[in-house]
Amino acid sequence: MKASLTNILYSALLAGALTACQSNTYQVKGTIEGAADGDTLFLTSDLEMGTPSDTIIVKDGKFAISGEADSTYLCMVYSANRNELNAPFFIEPGTIAIAIKEVPGATRVGGTKCNDEWQELNDSVMSIGKEINRIAEHVYGNNLSQEEQKKAMEQIDRLNQHFSGIVAKKAEKNIKNEFGYFLLTYYPEELIDNETRMRLIKELPNEMRSREAIRQLEQSIAAAAKTAEGNAISDFTLPAPDGSPLSIMSEVSKHRITIIDFWASWCGPCRQEMPYITQLYNDYKDKGLGIVGISLDSDKDAWLTATKQLGVIWPQMSDLKGWDNAAAKQFNITSIPHTIVVDQQGRILQRDLRGEALEAFIEEQLMK
C-alpha cells in the first residue's frame, strides 16, 4: 500500500522550473475568501520551503499579479495569515484566473493551457483522493482484523492504479506542450512507468527533448533497467541496528526466496502493512522465505523503536540517510512500502508486490 493520493498530488508542489522558449507577459486575476482588505499574500516558486518572492495586497477580496513569463513553472500564492488559503498554479504567458476558497479542495485555477490542464487533473482525481483518505482513516481509526486490513490496502492499491492511469493519459494528451513535459519529468515511475515514459520522450518536440532534465531522465531510466525484473542485484552493505556491517547477499544466499522490504518508521502505510508481512514471514520462513528490511529512516531511535513496536524479527539495515539511502538509490525507490523479491542467487523475480499478490507469488515460488 502506498501513501495516499492526496500526498502524491500535493507532492507535485515540489516541482522545478519548466524552461520555455519565449518571453511574454502574464497577468493573474484572483479572488480570495477569508481575507480582509490590506491582508498580505505571498507568491513563491520555492514550493519546498515557501520562501516568498513577491507580496500582494488584498483589496475587496481580490488580488492581481503581473510580470514577464520567460519560463513556465509551478508556483503558489498563499495567505500570510492563513497558509491553508493557497493556490498552486503555473506561471506562463496569458491571463491566469485564480479563485481561492476556504473550503478545502474548492480552489480553482485556469485561463491558460497549463493551468486549465492542472485544474482538470485535480478535478479528475479529487474523488479518488477523498476515497483513499476515507479508507485510510477507517483503517487507522479502527481495530480491524488482518483480513479487513488486507482488503483495505488492496482497495487503495486499485485507486492508486486508477490515478496512475489518469496521469499517464494526461501526459500523453499534452506531450507536445509544457504541461505534458511537467508530468513526464516530475511524476515517478509508479505513476508513469518507464516504458511509457520512454515512448513519450520520443514524442516530445525537439526543443523539449534536448533539455537537460530529459537527458537526466533518460539516464535514470537506463539505470533503473539494471534493477528490473530478471536482472541480478549487486551486493551492497549497510549498517545493521547494532552498527555492524550487513551484506545483502549474505542474507539472500541463506534462503530460497528473499523479500527486500523498503520501509520507514514514519511511513503510515508501511506500519499498517507490517502485521501482514509478519504473518507472511511466520507462515513461510520454514519453507525457505527470508526478509530483509531496509529502512529509509534518518533517526536511529525512531527506527529501532518502530521495529520493537511492530515486532519485526527479520534482519534490518539502514544508513540513516532517509530518501538518500544508498540502496534506495540503487533500486530507484521513489515511494514506500516497496518490495523486491529475489531468488537465492539475487536474481530479481518481482518488484512492488503486496497483499494477496505477494503471498500468492511467494507460495508459488516455494512450491516449485
Side-chain angles (χ1 to χ4, degrees):
M1 183 172 76
K2 296 190 182 298
S4 75
L5 172 62
T6 301
N7 290 337
I8 293 173
L9 198 54
Y10 281 103
S11 70
L13 299 182
L14 305 180
L18 307 177
T19 306
C21 59
Q22 60 183 0
S23 176
N24 283 301
T25 60
Y26 70 89
Q27 183 176 22
V28 175
K29 295 182 178 180
T31 61
I32 182 170
E33 294 179 350
D37 278 6
D39 280 359
T40 298
L41 304 182
F42 291 136
L43 176 68
T44 182
S45 57
D46 176 11
L47 296 170
E48 182 173 5
M49 301 301 296
T51 305
S53 58
D54 203 353
T55 59
I56 310 103
I57 303 301
V58 176
K59 183 176 181 181
D60 297 328
K62 300 178 181 179
F63 63 95
I65 318 166
S66 61
E68 286 289 322
D70 56 359
S71 62
T72 299
Y73 57 94
L74 191 65
C75 62
M76 181 168 65
V77 60
Y78 65 96
S79 168
N81 299 324
R82 298 175 58 188
N83 288 350
E84 72 274 13
L85 294 178
N86 65 75
F89 69 100
F90 287 89
I91 282 185
E92 63 180 336
T95 300
I96 303 162
I98 299 176
I100 300 177
K101 304 291 186 178
E102 290 189 277
V103 177
T107 293
R108 302 193 66 80
V109 302
T112 58
K113 181 63 177 178
C114 283
N115 287 299
D116 287 343
E117 294 291 341
W118 176 244
Q119 186 62 58
E120 186 177 298
L121 176 61
N122 279 275
D123 289 342
S124 297
V125 302
M126 187 62 68
S127 61
I128 303 175
K130 288 180 179 178
E131 181 64 11
I132 286 178
N133 285 340
R134 184 194 66 77
I135 296 171
E137 288 171 3
H138 177 67
V139 171
Y140 299 147
N142 296 278
N143 186 23
L144 302 183
S145 68
Q146 185 175 336
E147 183 62 28
E148 289 173 320
Q149 292 177 29
K150 267 173 44 175
K151 288 181 179 179
M153 288 188 286
E154 288 162 3
Q155 282 182 289
I156 289 179
D157 281 343
R158 287 193 294 269
L159 288 166
N160 276 318
Q161 288 169 12
H162 183 37
F163 173 52
S164 298
I166 290 173
V167 172
K169 288 179 181 178
K170 180 67 73 172
E172 185 159 16
K173 173 188 173 184
N174 290 277
I175 199 60
K176 300 297 184 182
N177 63 54
E178 293 288 351
F179 191 68
Y181 174 83
F182 164 73
L183 296 177
L184 187 63
T185 54
Y186 179 73
Y187 280 111
E189 182 182 356
E190 286 75 14
L191 291 178
I192 305 178
D193 66 78
N194 283 341
E195 182 179 349
T196 300
R197 200 183 303 270
M198 282 302 298
R199 176 175 61 80
L200 292 177
I201 284 175
K202 294 176 182 178
E203 297 179 18
L204 284 170
N206 290 336
E207 184 276 325
M208 291 182 181
R209 190 170 182 184
S210 65
R211 295 175 185 176
E212 179 61 26
I214 294 297
R215 288 196 290 269
Q216 291 179 1
L217 182 57
E218 289 178 310
Q219 291 174 359
S220 175
I221 292 172
K226 296 179 181 179
T227 57
E229 294 167 7
N231 292 321
I233 68 172
S234 300
D235 193 19
F236 59 86
T237 299
L238 290 175
D242 63 3
S244 62
L246 180 61
S247 157
I248 189 65
M249 285 306 299
S250 70
E251 291 299 322
V252 167
S253 63
K254 296 175 183 178
H255 311 284
R256 291 179 60 194
I257 297 291
T258 300
I259 299 171
I260 303 174
D261 180 34
F262 287 88
W263 73 291
S265 67
W266 45 260
C267 170
C270 301
R271 296 180 72 107
Q272 192 65 41
E273 192 163 326
M274 202 60 75
Y276 174 73
I277 297 294
T278 300
Q279 186 63 53
L280 186 67
Y281 180 68
N282 290 332
D283 290 345
Y284 292 95
K285 64 179 180 179
D286 294 333
K287 299 176 182 178
L289 174 65
I291 301 179
V292 178
I294 300 181
S295 170
L296 271 59
D297 277 284
S298 55
D299 184 322
K300 185 173 184 178
D301 288 339
W303 172 34
L304 298 184
T305 298
T307 59
K308 292 178 181 179
Q309 290 175 339
L310 297 168
V312 176
I313 56 176
W314 49 86
Q316 292 284 313
M317 55 202 311
S318 179
D319 56 13
L320 298 175
K321 293 182 180 180
W323 284 107
D324 286 329
N325 179 283
K329 286 187 170 183
Q330 177 177 325
F331 290 101
N332 196 34
I333 303 299
T334 57
S335 66
I336 53 175
H338 188 104
T339 59
I340 298 175
V341 182
V342 300
D343 64 15
Q344 201 161 12
Q345 289 71 46
R347 182 170 62 93
I348 298 173
L349 303 177
Q350 287 284 340
R351 291 191 60 152
D352 207 21
L353 289 179
R354 293 175 303 282
E356 291 181 354
L358 177 59
E359 181 176 7
F361 182 76
I362 294 300
E363 183 176 13
E364 176 189 355
Q365 294 298 309
L366 294 178
M367 292 301 103
K368 289 182 177 180

